[in-house]
């Protein structure tokens, strides 16, 4: 296995974050995810907001290694992860918003596209950085389906419907990584998936 | 001029931000930029961190309306602005990192690509959400050139070299929008440019 390129500035940044975080009781893999989120936002609030279900890391790494498809909500998230995906397991990578030309009546385009992706790949890794409507629709389907996603990264950002969407995800039994509260977004979603890709790649090297 | 599509959730989100911001003394156009940044991050810290040179809004809107090329540092920023660019003035849009296959020795790839873009379009709008090295290199060129960028949006995020890069930008006489401190990133950079595109489009409608 080829090792991933590590820019020296990334290592220096991680060292600053380690120092400022100080002592914590996170498992190493969860801390690696948190550290990459802080690196991409310079916002230590995420240390209080990031939530992992007990099976999230193990299920996520296994799914990535098995080349499970990755479904993201919007193009910015895809853009933020595609280089790392290509360097590691080259999982199929779909942006929900690109799967449909127009939304179904009463729905957003990312919701419509996400449900189309779910019909095709119900066991995918779903990464939602922006669209709370898409996350709610996915949670509704999870509740009534025997097929479960391998992992849901649920980190939409914003002021309307975002907290409710994350609470809906928390109620499901699916392996999940969330950011509670209003924060999140494309950069956060990409940082979480990129951290998991690095962990999965290093675990098998 | 066609009016831009406004999703009702966007208007509701802006109303929540208006309410929580309360009274402020920002000029309306600067507030419109700040509000879009807060919308994309759910982080009100930006109310204390966002800085505008006195000519930034006027120069930025004039340049956008004149279809001035837009040079961004990385693909995530391009992805975050391209829909709004296409709906409005359809400015040429380049990502510096895509302009070179490999960095010059001792430089980052985004720095090398940004300098190539600057040679071609020194009067472009430059949008830097990630690469402090690229922002420093641009500031060095601004200091020794008679041709100035129309606007620099300097909002790299991170822990190494970021504050120094923003301070270097602050020392230049170029029209500029900055986020002081460590915060910033692709979502912030895209939000600032998208807000300016909306303002420019509405000003001429």
């Amino acid at each position: 296995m080829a090792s991933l390129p590590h820019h020296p500035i990334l290592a220096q940044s991680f060292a600053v974050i380690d120092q400022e975080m100080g002592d914590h009781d996170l498992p190493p893999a969860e801390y690696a995810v948190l550290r990459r989120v802080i690196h991409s936002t310079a916002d230590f609030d995420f240390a209080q907001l990031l939530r992992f279900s007990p099976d999230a890391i193990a299920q996520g790494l296994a799914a990535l290694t098995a080349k499970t498809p990755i479904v993201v909500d919007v193009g910015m998230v895809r853009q933020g992860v595609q280089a790392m995906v290509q360097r590691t397991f080259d999982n199929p990578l779909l942006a929900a918003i690109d799967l449909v030309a127009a939304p179904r009546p009463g729905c957003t385009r990312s919701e419509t596209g996400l449900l189309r992706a779910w019909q095709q790949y119900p066991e995918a890794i779903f990464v939602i950085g922006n669209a709370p409507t898409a996350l709610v629709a996915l949670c509704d389907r999870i509740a009534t389906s025997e097929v479960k996603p391998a992992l849901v990264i649920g980190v939409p950002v914003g002021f309307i419907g975002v907290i409710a969407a994350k609470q809906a995800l928390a109620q499901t039994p699916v392996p999940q990584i969330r950011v509670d509260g209003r924060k999140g977004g494309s950069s956060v979603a990409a940082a979480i998936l990129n951290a998991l890709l690095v962990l999965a790649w290093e675990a098998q090297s």
Side-chain angles (χ1 to χ4, degrees), chain A residues 86-173:
Chain A
Q86 288 166 3
R87 274 189 212 131
T88 53
F89 304 101
D90 208 15
N91 309 57
L93 178 59
L94 297 84
I97 204 163
D98 292 337
L99 299 181
V100 291
R104 291 191 308 169
C107 298
T108 63
R109 197 169 136 219
S110 40
E111 176 184 352
T112 307
L114 192 97
L115 291 181
R116 183 161 303 179
W118 179 82
Q119 287 172 334
Q120 194 173 356
Y121 301 113
E123 296 176 292
I125 298 163
F126 290 87
V127 186
I128 296 167
N130 297 266
T133 52
L135 182 55
V136 169
L138 181 65
C139 291
D140 288 347
R141 294 311 181 286
I142 291 170
T144 58
S145 169
E146 290 182 15
V147 185
K148 301 267 184 286
L151 176 70
V152 177
I153 298 173
V155 297
V157 61
F159 295 86
I160 305 295
V162 165
I163 291 174
K166 291 165 173 175
Q167 288 171 339
L169 177 59
Q171 299 299 316
T172 74

Side-chain angles (χ1 to χ4, degrees), chain A residues 42-61:
Chain A
D43 187 346
F44 284 88
D45 282 4
F46 288 101
Q48 272 70 54
L49 299 174
L50 200 58
R51 299 278 181 277
F52 300 79
S53 66
D55 51 354
I57 295 283
Q59 294 292 317
L61 300 200

